mmCIF file of all heavy atoms in Angstrom:
data_model
loop_
_atom_site.group_PDB
_atom_site.id
_atom_site.type_symbol
_atom_site.label_atom_id
_atom_site.label_comp_id
_atom_site.label_asym_id
_atom_site.label_seq_id
_atom_site.Cartn_x
_atom_site.Cartn_y
_atom_site.Cartn_z
ATOM 1 N N ALA A 171 -43.607 -46.876 54.391
ATOM 2 C CA ALA A 171 -42.589 -46.533 55.384
ATOM 3 C C ALA A 171 -41.694 -45.367 54.786
ATOM 4 O O ALA A 171 -41.249 -45.418 53.708
ATOM 5 C CB ALA A 171 -41.744 -47.680 55.747
ATOM 6 N N THR A 172 -41.463 -44.346 55.663
ATOM 7 C CA THR A 172 -40.649 -43.210 55.173
ATOM 8 C C THR A 172 -39.197 -43.436 55.612
ATOM 9 O O THR A 172 -38.291 -42.717 55.158
ATOM 10 C CB THR A 172 -41.144 -41.899 55.833
ATOM 11 O OG1 THR A 172 -41.127 -42.094 57.277
ATOM 12 C CG2 THR A 172 -42.621 -41.552 55.428
ATOM 13 N N ARG A 173 -38.984 -44.502 56.413
ATOM 14 C CA ARG A 173 -37.524 -44.852 56.789
ATOM 15 C C ARG A 173 -37.568 -46.267 57.115
ATOM 16 O O ARG A 173 -38.540 -46.942 57.194
ATOM 17 C CB ARG A 173 -37.213 -44.034 58.057
ATOM 18 C CG ARG A 173 -37.992 -44.396 59.297
ATOM 19 C CD ARG A 173 -37.806 -43.511 60.503
ATOM 20 N NE ARG A 173 -38.314 -42.123 60.205
ATOM 21 C CZ ARG A 173 -38.250 -41.127 60.992
ATOM 22 N NH1 ARG A 173 -37.620 -41.301 62.134
ATOM 23 N NH2 ARG A 173 -38.708 -39.871 60.745
ATOM 24 N N THR A 174 -36.327 -46.859 57.218
ATOM 25 C CA THR A 174 -36.245 -48.271 57.552
ATOM 26 C C THR A 174 -36.628 -48.442 59.085
ATOM 27 O O THR A 174 -36.169 -47.697 59.921
ATOM 28 C CB THR A 174 -34.755 -48.702 57.447
ATOM 29 O OG1 THR A 174 -34.351 -48.603 56.034
ATOM 30 C CG2 THR A 174 -34.553 -50.152 57.864
ATOM 31 N N LEU A 175 -37.527 -49.446 59.249
ATOM 32 C CA LEU A 175 -38.039 -49.704 60.578
ATOM 33 C C LEU A 175 -37.754 -51.131 61.005
ATOM 34 O O LEU A 175 -37.887 -52.064 60.225
ATOM 35 C CB LEU A 175 -39.602 -49.492 60.528
ATOM 36 C CG LEU A 175 -40.147 -48.157 60.105
ATOM 37 C CD1 LEU A 175 -41.663 -48.161 59.958
ATOM 38 C CD2 LEU A 175 -39.705 -47.015 61.052
ATOM 39 N N ARG A 176 -37.367 -51.264 62.224
ATOM 40 C CA ARG A 176 -36.922 -52.538 62.799
ATOM 41 C C ARG A 176 -38.009 -53.252 63.453
ATOM 42 O O ARG A 176 -39.025 -52.637 63.856
ATOM 43 C CB ARG A 176 -35.760 -52.314 63.770
ATOM 44 C CG ARG A 176 -34.483 -51.796 63.040
ATOM 45 C CD ARG A 176 -33.420 -51.574 64.117
ATOM 46 N NE ARG A 176 -32.243 -50.997 63.483
ATOM 47 C CZ ARG A 176 -31.193 -50.541 64.200
ATOM 48 N NH1 ARG A 176 -31.177 -50.537 65.541
ATOM 49 N NH2 ARG A 176 -30.078 -50.090 63.470
ATOM 50 N N ALA A 177 -37.954 -54.528 63.494
ATOM 51 C CA ALA A 177 -38.935 -55.402 64.062
ATOM 52 C C ALA A 177 -39.116 -55.160 65.489
ATOM 53 O O ALA A 177 -38.143 -54.821 66.257
ATOM 54 C CB ALA A 177 -38.622 -56.882 63.833
ATOM 55 N N GLY A 178 -40.318 -55.166 66.044
ATOM 56 C CA GLY A 178 -40.584 -55.112 67.487
ATOM 57 C C GLY A 178 -40.736 -53.751 68.099
ATOM 58 O O GLY A 178 -41.179 -53.571 69.180
ATOM 59 N N GLN A 179 -40.392 -52.644 67.314
ATOM 60 C CA GLN A 179 -40.470 -51.318 67.888
ATOM 61 C C GLN A 179 -41.916 -50.776 67.766
ATOM 62 O O GLN A 179 -42.531 -51.022 66.694
ATOM 63 C CB GLN A 179 -39.438 -50.380 67.222
ATOM 64 C CG GLN A 179 -39.717 -50.056 65.758
ATOM 65 C CD GLN A 179 -38.710 -49.170 65.108
ATOM 66 O OE1 GLN A 179 -37.506 -49.630 64.984
ATOM 67 N NE2 GLN A 179 -39.028 -47.915 64.804
ATOM 68 N N PRO A 180 -42.316 -49.914 68.680
ATOM 69 C CA PRO A 180 -43.623 -49.199 68.504
ATOM 70 C C PRO A 180 -43.657 -48.428 67.230
ATOM 71 O O PRO A 180 -42.568 -47.812 66.863
ATOM 72 C CB PRO A 180 -43.729 -48.351 69.736
ATOM 73 C CG PRO A 180 -42.872 -49.033 70.763
ATOM 74 C CD PRO A 180 -41.687 -49.528 69.933
ATOM 75 N N LEU A 181 -44.772 -48.302 66.549
ATOM 76 C CA LEU A 181 -44.846 -47.620 65.358
ATOM 77 C C LEU A 181 -45.591 -46.242 65.557
ATOM 78 O O LEU A 181 -46.560 -46.228 66.188
ATOM 79 C CB LEU A 181 -45.558 -48.455 64.233
ATOM 80 C CG LEU A 181 -44.904 -49.833 64.052
ATOM 81 C CD1 LEU A 181 -45.748 -50.734 63.101
ATOM 82 C CD2 LEU A 181 -43.523 -49.618 63.375
ATOM 83 N N GLN A 182 -44.988 -45.238 64.890
ATOM 84 C CA GLN A 182 -45.553 -43.795 65.081
ATOM 85 C C GLN A 182 -46.042 -43.238 63.754
ATOM 86 O O GLN A 182 -45.554 -43.645 62.684
ATOM 87 C CB GLN A 182 -44.477 -42.956 65.712
ATOM 88 C CG GLN A 182 -44.079 -43.433 67.047
ATOM 89 C CD GLN A 182 -42.845 -42.588 67.543
ATOM 90 O OE1 GLN A 182 -41.676 -43.121 67.366
ATOM 91 N NE2 GLN A 182 -43.096 -41.502 68.186
ATOM 92 N N ALA A 183 -46.971 -42.331 63.785
ATOM 93 C CA ALA A 183 -47.551 -41.766 62.619
ATOM 94 C C ALA A 183 -46.536 -41.145 61.704
ATOM 95 O O ALA A 183 -46.645 -41.296 60.373
ATOM 96 C CB ALA A 183 -48.638 -40.816 63.078
ATOM 97 N N HIS A 184 -45.530 -40.418 62.172
ATOM 98 C CA HIS A 184 -44.631 -39.767 61.296
ATOM 99 C C HIS A 184 -43.739 -40.681 60.549
ATOM 100 O O HIS A 184 -42.985 -40.263 59.678
ATOM 101 C CB HIS A 184 -43.754 -38.800 62.110
ATOM 102 C CG HIS A 184 -42.801 -39.450 63.099
ATOM 103 N ND1 HIS A 184 -43.036 -39.774 64.364
ATOM 104 C CD2 HIS A 184 -41.479 -39.769 62.802
ATOM 105 C CE1 HIS A 184 -41.996 -40.338 64.898
ATOM 106 N NE2 HIS A 184 -41.073 -40.387 64.004
ATOM 107 N N GLN A 185 -43.743 -42.032 60.873
ATOM 108 C CA GLN A 185 -42.891 -42.985 60.158
ATOM 109 C C GLN A 185 -43.516 -43.533 58.833
ATOM 110 O O GLN A 185 -42.888 -44.316 58.174
ATOM 111 C CB GLN A 185 -42.542 -44.214 61.081
ATOM 112 C CG GLN A 185 -41.806 -43.735 62.332
ATOM 113 C CD GLN A 185 -41.728 -44.895 63.357
ATOM 114 O OE1 GLN A 185 -42.612 -45.788 63.390
ATOM 115 N NE2 GLN A 185 -40.700 -44.892 64.159
ATOM 116 N N PHE A 186 -44.742 -42.986 58.496
ATOM 117 C CA PHE A 186 -45.437 -43.489 57.425
ATOM 118 C C PHE A 186 -46.089 -42.358 56.630
ATOM 119 O O PHE A 186 -46.342 -41.197 57.106
ATOM 120 C CB PHE A 186 -46.562 -44.503 57.839
ATOM 121 C CG PHE A 186 -46.080 -45.645 58.604
ATOM 122 C CD1 PHE A 186 -46.032 -45.610 60.042
ATOM 123 C CD2 PHE A 186 -45.613 -46.749 57.939
ATOM 124 C CE1 PHE A 186 -45.529 -46.701 60.712
ATOM 125 C CE2 PHE A 186 -45.146 -47.868 58.647
ATOM 126 C CZ PHE A 186 -45.195 -47.831 59.980
ATOM 127 N N ARG A 187 -46.328 -42.673 55.382
ATOM 128 C CA ARG A 187 -47.090 -41.652 54.496
ATOM 129 C C ARG A 187 -48.086 -42.488 53.726
ATOM 130 O O ARG A 187 -47.921 -43.709 53.517
ATOM 131 C CB ARG A 187 -46.131 -40.944 53.553
ATOM 132 C CG ARG A 187 -45.490 -41.818 52.621
ATOM 133 C CD ARG A 187 -44.567 -40.897 51.619
ATOM 134 N NE ARG A 187 -43.699 -41.798 50.845
ATOM 135 C CZ ARG A 187 -44.038 -42.415 49.638
ATOM 136 N NH1 ARG A 187 -45.300 -42.238 49.269
ATOM 137 N NH2 ARG A 187 -43.179 -43.061 48.989
ATOM 138 N N SER A 188 -49.101 -41.837 53.278
ATOM 139 C CA SER A 188 -50.182 -42.519 52.523
ATOM 140 C C SER A 188 -49.624 -42.977 51.113
ATOM 141 O O SER A 188 -48.829 -42.205 50.500
ATOM 142 C CB SER A 188 -51.429 -41.576 52.289
ATOM 143 O OG SER A 188 -51.970 -41.256 53.512
ATOM 144 N N LEU A 189 -50.049 -44.056 50.668
ATOM 145 C CA LEU A 189 -49.754 -44.459 49.283
ATOM 146 C C LEU A 189 -50.403 -43.580 48.271
ATOM 147 O O LEU A 189 -51.674 -43.400 48.341
ATOM 148 C CB LEU A 189 -50.185 -45.945 49.035
ATOM 149 C CG LEU A 189 -49.843 -46.555 47.674
ATOM 150 C CD1 LEU A 189 -48.393 -46.720 47.540
ATOM 151 C CD2 LEU A 189 -50.605 -47.933 47.510
ATOM 152 N N PRO A 190 -49.667 -42.946 47.333
ATOM 153 C CA PRO A 190 -50.374 -42.008 46.452
ATOM 154 C C PRO A 190 -51.376 -42.649 45.594
ATOM 155 O O PRO A 190 -51.161 -43.787 44.999
ATOM 156 C CB PRO A 190 -49.164 -41.537 45.575
ATOM 157 C CG PRO A 190 -47.962 -41.773 46.400
ATOM 158 C CD PRO A 190 -48.254 -43.000 47.197
ATOM 159 N N LEU A 191 -52.545 -42.054 45.535
ATOM 160 C CA LEU A 191 -53.642 -42.584 44.681
ATOM 161 C C LEU A 191 -53.812 -41.608 43.474
ATOM 162 O O LEU A 191 -54.411 -42.027 42.536
ATOM 163 C CB LEU A 191 -54.979 -42.606 45.454
ATOM 164 C CG LEU A 191 -54.988 -43.635 46.615
ATOM 165 C CD1 LEU A 191 -56.298 -43.504 47.326
ATOM 166 C CD2 LEU A 191 -54.781 -45.056 46.110
ATOM 167 N N VAL A 192 -53.100 -40.437 43.577
ATOM 168 C CA VAL A 192 -53.114 -39.530 42.465
ATOM 169 C C VAL A 192 -51.750 -39.113 42.284
ATOM 170 O O VAL A 192 -51.062 -38.673 43.202
ATOM 171 C CB VAL A 192 -54.043 -38.319 42.769
ATOM 172 C CG1 VAL A 192 -53.767 -37.250 41.753
ATOM 173 C CG2 VAL A 192 -55.513 -38.720 42.785
ATOM 174 N N GLU A 193 -51.187 -39.044 41.011
ATOM 175 C CA GLU A 193 -49.814 -38.644 40.741
ATOM 176 C C GLU A 193 -49.867 -37.287 40.136
ATOM 177 O O GLU A 193 -50.877 -36.839 39.545
ATOM 178 C CB GLU A 193 -49.114 -39.630 39.852
ATOM 179 C CG GLU A 193 -49.018 -41.119 40.380
ATOM 180 C CD GLU A 193 -48.004 -41.164 41.507
ATOM 181 O OE1 GLU A 193 -47.287 -40.180 41.816
ATOM 182 O OE2 GLU A 193 -47.893 -42.268 42.145
ATOM 183 N N ARG A 194 -48.730 -36.609 40.249
ATOM 184 C CA ARG A 194 -48.684 -35.309 39.651
ATOM 185 C C ARG A 194 -48.747 -35.341 38.128
ATOM 186 O O ARG A 194 -48.202 -36.304 37.471
ATOM 187 C CB ARG A 194 -47.273 -34.614 39.929
ATOM 188 C CG ARG A 194 -46.986 -33.244 39.424
ATOM 189 C CD ARG A 194 -45.615 -32.763 39.674
ATOM 190 N NE ARG A 194 -45.241 -31.592 39.052
ATOM 191 C CZ ARG A 194 -45.523 -30.365 39.574
ATOM 192 N NH1 ARG A 194 -46.052 -30.276 40.775
ATOM 193 N NH2 ARG A 194 -45.175 -29.282 38.873
ATOM 194 N N ASN A 195 -49.605 -34.492 37.537
ATOM 195 C CA ASN A 195 -49.847 -34.417 36.101
ATOM 196 C C ASN A 195 -50.692 -35.547 35.544
ATOM 197 O O ASN A 195 -51.020 -35.720 34.337
ATOM 198 C CB ASN A 195 -48.512 -34.434 35.254
ATOM 199 C CG ASN A 195 -47.709 -33.120 35.444
ATOM 200 O OD1 ASN A 195 -48.256 -32.066 35.609
ATOM 201 N ND2 ASN A 195 -46.405 -33.385 35.427
ATOM 202 N N GLN A 196 -51.262 -36.397 36.512
ATOM 203 C CA GLN A 196 -52.203 -37.551 36.110
ATOM 204 C C GLN A 196 -53.532 -36.860 35.713
ATOM 205 O O GLN A 196 -54.011 -35.946 36.290
ATOM 206 C CB GLN A 196 -52.300 -38.439 37.289
ATOM 207 C CG GLN A 196 -53.236 -39.643 36.970
ATOM 208 C CD GLN A 196 -53.408 -40.491 38.195
ATOM 209 O OE1 GLN A 196 -52.696 -40.397 39.152
ATOM 210 N NE2 GLN A 196 -54.466 -41.320 38.077
ATOM 211 N N ARG A 197 -54.199 -37.531 34.670
ATOM 212 C CA ARG A 197 -55.542 -37.205 34.330
ATOM 213 C C ARG A 197 -56.413 -37.853 35.366
ATOM 214 O O ARG A 197 -56.339 -39.092 35.529
ATOM 215 C CB ARG A 197 -55.845 -37.600 32.887
ATOM 216 C CG ARG A 197 -54.950 -37.014 31.823
ATOM 217 C CD ARG A 197 -55.197 -35.448 31.745
ATOM 218 N NE ARG A 197 -56.524 -35.116 31.198
ATOM 219 C CZ ARG A 197 -56.996 -33.929 30.997
ATOM 220 N NH1 ARG A 197 -56.147 -32.851 31.296
ATOM 221 N NH2 ARG A 197 -58.156 -33.627 30.452
ATOM 222 N N VAL A 198 -57.280 -37.098 36.020
ATOM 223 C CA VAL A 198 -58.143 -37.683 37.078
ATOM 224 C C VAL A 198 -59.594 -37.360 36.857
ATOM 225 O O VAL A 198 -59.900 -36.369 36.008
ATOM 226 C CB VAL A 198 -57.719 -37.215 38.464
ATOM 227 C CG1 VAL A 198 -56.313 -37.605 38.787
ATOM 228 C CG2 VAL A 198 -57.851 -35.658 38.531
ATOM 229 N N VAL A 199 -60.451 -38.067 37.433
ATOM 230 C CA VAL A 199 -61.933 -37.778 37.422
ATOM 231 C C VAL A 199 -62.259 -36.930 38.638
ATOM 232 O O VAL A 199 -61.928 -37.211 39.735
ATOM 233 C CB VAL A 199 -62.785 -39.086 37.398
ATOM 234 C CG1 VAL A 199 -64.241 -38.731 37.588
ATOM 235 C CG2 VAL A 199 -62.461 -39.921 36.174
ATOM 236 N N VAL A 200 -62.880 -35.765 38.367
ATOM 237 C CA VAL A 200 -63.284 -34.877 39.417
ATOM 238 C C VAL A 200 -64.752 -34.920 39.633
ATOM 239 O O VAL A 200 -65.474 -34.625 38.525
ATOM 240 C CB VAL A 200 -62.760 -33.425 39.142
ATOM 241 C CG1 VAL A 200 -63.271 -32.410 40.248
ATOM 242 C CG2 VAL A 200 -61.308 -33.409 38.958
ATOM 243 N N GLU A 201 -65.196 -35.262 40.733
ATOM 244 C CA GLU A 201 -66.632 -35.350 40.992
ATOM 245 C C GLU A 201 -67.109 -34.223 41.827
ATOM 246 O O GLU A 201 -66.512 -34.007 42.892
ATOM 247 C CB GLU A 201 -67.080 -36.708 41.633
ATOM 248 C CG GLU A 201 -66.803 -37.907 40.835
ATOM 249 C CD GLU A 201 -67.426 -39.103 41.499
ATOM 250 O OE1 GLU A 201 -67.988 -39.055 42.575
ATOM 251 O OE2 GLU A 201 -67.334 -40.217 40.869
ATOM 252 N N ALA A 202 -68.099 -33.414 41.407
ATOM 253 C CA ALA A 202 -68.617 -32.326 42.160
ATOM 254 C C ALA A 202 -69.999 -32.854 42.774
ATOM 255 O O ALA A 202 -70.888 -33.341 42.036
ATOM 256 C CB ALA A 202 -68.937 -31.140 41.279
ATOM 257 N N ARG A 203 -70.025 -32.796 44.060
ATOM 258 C CA ARG A 203 -71.169 -33.416 44.855
ATOM 259 C C ARG A 203 -71.909 -32.291 45.615
ATOM 260 O O ARG A 203 -71.284 -31.394 46.154
ATOM 261 C CB ARG A 203 -70.741 -34.422 45.716
ATOM 262 C CG ARG A 203 -70.144 -35.618 45.082
ATOM 263 C CD ARG A 203 -69.695 -36.709 46.032
ATOM 264 N NE ARG A 203 -69.083 -37.866 45.345
ATOM 265 C CZ ARG A 203 -68.515 -39.014 46.032
ATOM 266 N NH1 ARG A 203 -68.623 -38.989 47.390
ATOM 267 N NH2 ARG A 203 -68.043 -39.903 45.461
ATOM 268 N N GLY A 204 -73.204 -32.344 45.508
ATOM 269 C CA GLY A 204 -74.062 -31.463 46.286
ATOM 270 C C GLY A 204 -75.302 -32.059 46.712
ATOM 271 O O GLY A 204 -75.490 -33.302 46.560
ATOM 272 N N SER A 205 -76.201 -31.260 47.147
ATOM 273 C CA SER A 205 -77.527 -31.852 47.654
ATOM 274 C C SER A 205 -78.356 -32.304 46.418
ATOM 275 O O SER A 205 -78.869 -31.518 45.613
ATOM 276 C CB SER A 205 -78.282 -30.764 48.389
ATOM 277 O OG SER A 205 -79.475 -31.214 48.795
ATOM 278 N N GLY A 206 -78.370 -33.635 46.211
ATOM 279 C CA GLY A 206 -79.293 -34.128 45.203
ATOM 280 C C GLY A 206 -78.601 -34.244 43.783
ATOM 281 O O GLY A 206 -79.265 -34.467 42.837
ATOM 282 N N PHE A 207 -77.293 -33.914 43.673
ATOM 283 C CA PHE A 207 -76.732 -34.001 42.346
ATOM 284 C C PHE A 207 -75.233 -34.401 42.443
ATOM 285 O O PHE A 207 -74.568 -34.361 43.443
ATOM 286 C CB PHE A 207 -76.802 -32.614 41.581
ATOM 287 C CG PHE A 207 -75.821 -31.610 42.130
ATOM 288 C CD1 PHE A 207 -74.574 -31.510 41.605
ATOM 289 C CD2 PHE A 207 -76.185 -30.724 43.142
ATOM 290 C CE1 PHE A 207 -73.594 -30.562 42.124
ATOM 291 C CE2 PHE A 207 -75.278 -29.791 43.688
ATOM 292 C CZ PHE A 207 -74.023 -29.650 43.078
ATOM 293 N N ARG A 208 -74.765 -34.969 41.367
ATOM 294 C CA ARG A 208 -73.366 -35.360 41.241
ATOM 295 C C ARG A 208 -72.895 -35.169 39.795
ATOM 296 O O ARG A 208 -73.634 -35.602 38.846
ATOM 297 C CB ARG A 208 -73.168 -36.817 41.627
ATOM 298 C CG ARG A 208 -71.757 -37.337 41.486
ATOM 299 C CD ARG A 208 -71.532 -38.742 41.789
ATOM 300 N NE ARG A 208 -71.830 -39.010 43.317
ATOM 301 C CZ ARG A 208 -71.739 -40.129 43.813
ATOM 302 N NH1 ARG A 208 -71.317 -41.199 43.131
ATOM 303 N NH2 ARG A 208 -72.034 -40.208 45.114
ATOM 304 N N VAL A 209 -71.851 -34.383 39.521
ATOM 305 C CA VAL A 209 -71.353 -34.090 38.159
ATOM 306 C C VAL A 209 -69.933 -34.436 38.134
ATOM 307 O O VAL A 209 -69.151 -34.179 39.116
ATOM 308 C CB VAL A 209 -71.600 -32.649 37.788
ATOM 309 C CG1 VAL A 209 -70.986 -32.367 36.384
ATOM 310 C CG2 VAL A 209 -73.009 -32.262 37.896
ATOM 311 N N SER A 210 -69.435 -35.064 37.126
ATOM 312 C CA SER A 210 -68.040 -35.471 36.976
ATOM 313 C C SER A 210 -67.532 -34.842 35.602
ATOM 314 O O SER A 210 -68.138 -34.779 34.667
ATOM 315 C CB SER A 210 -67.819 -36.975 37.033
ATOM 316 O OG SER A 210 -68.529 -37.549 35.974
ATOM 317 N N ARG A 211 -66.156 -34.550 35.775
ATOM 318 C CA ARG A 211 -65.436 -34.073 34.555
ATOM 319 C C ARG A 211 -63.955 -34.451 34.765
ATOM 320 O O ARG A 211 -63.567 -34.824 35.897
ATOM 321 C CB ARG A 211 -65.600 -32.588 34.381
ATOM 322 C CG ARG A 211 -65.141 -31.728 35.580
ATOM 323 C CD ARG A 211 -65.528 -30.247 35.368
ATOM 324 N NE ARG A 211 -64.847 -29.653 34.213
ATOM 325 C CZ ARG A 211 -64.879 -28.338 34.126
ATOM 326 N NH1 ARG A 211 -65.420 -27.520 35.011
ATOM 327 N NH2 ARG A 211 -64.246 -27.768 33.089
#
Side-chain angles (χ1 to χ4, degrees):
T172 59
R173 64 189 69 181
T174 297
L175 302 172
R176 295 176 180 171
Q179 69 182 68
L181 302 173
Q182 298 171 269
H184 70 269
Q185 297 170 336
F186 301 93
R187 61 177 174 84
S188 298
L189 182 67
L191 295 175
V192 169
E193 300 288 353
R194 180 184 175 88
N195 295 325
Q196 178 183 348
R197 301 294 291 182
V198 298
V199 174
V200 180
E201 292 188 357
R203 297 179 179 178
S205 179
F207 74 89
R208 176 181 298 184
V209 178
S210 63
R211 57 190 295 196

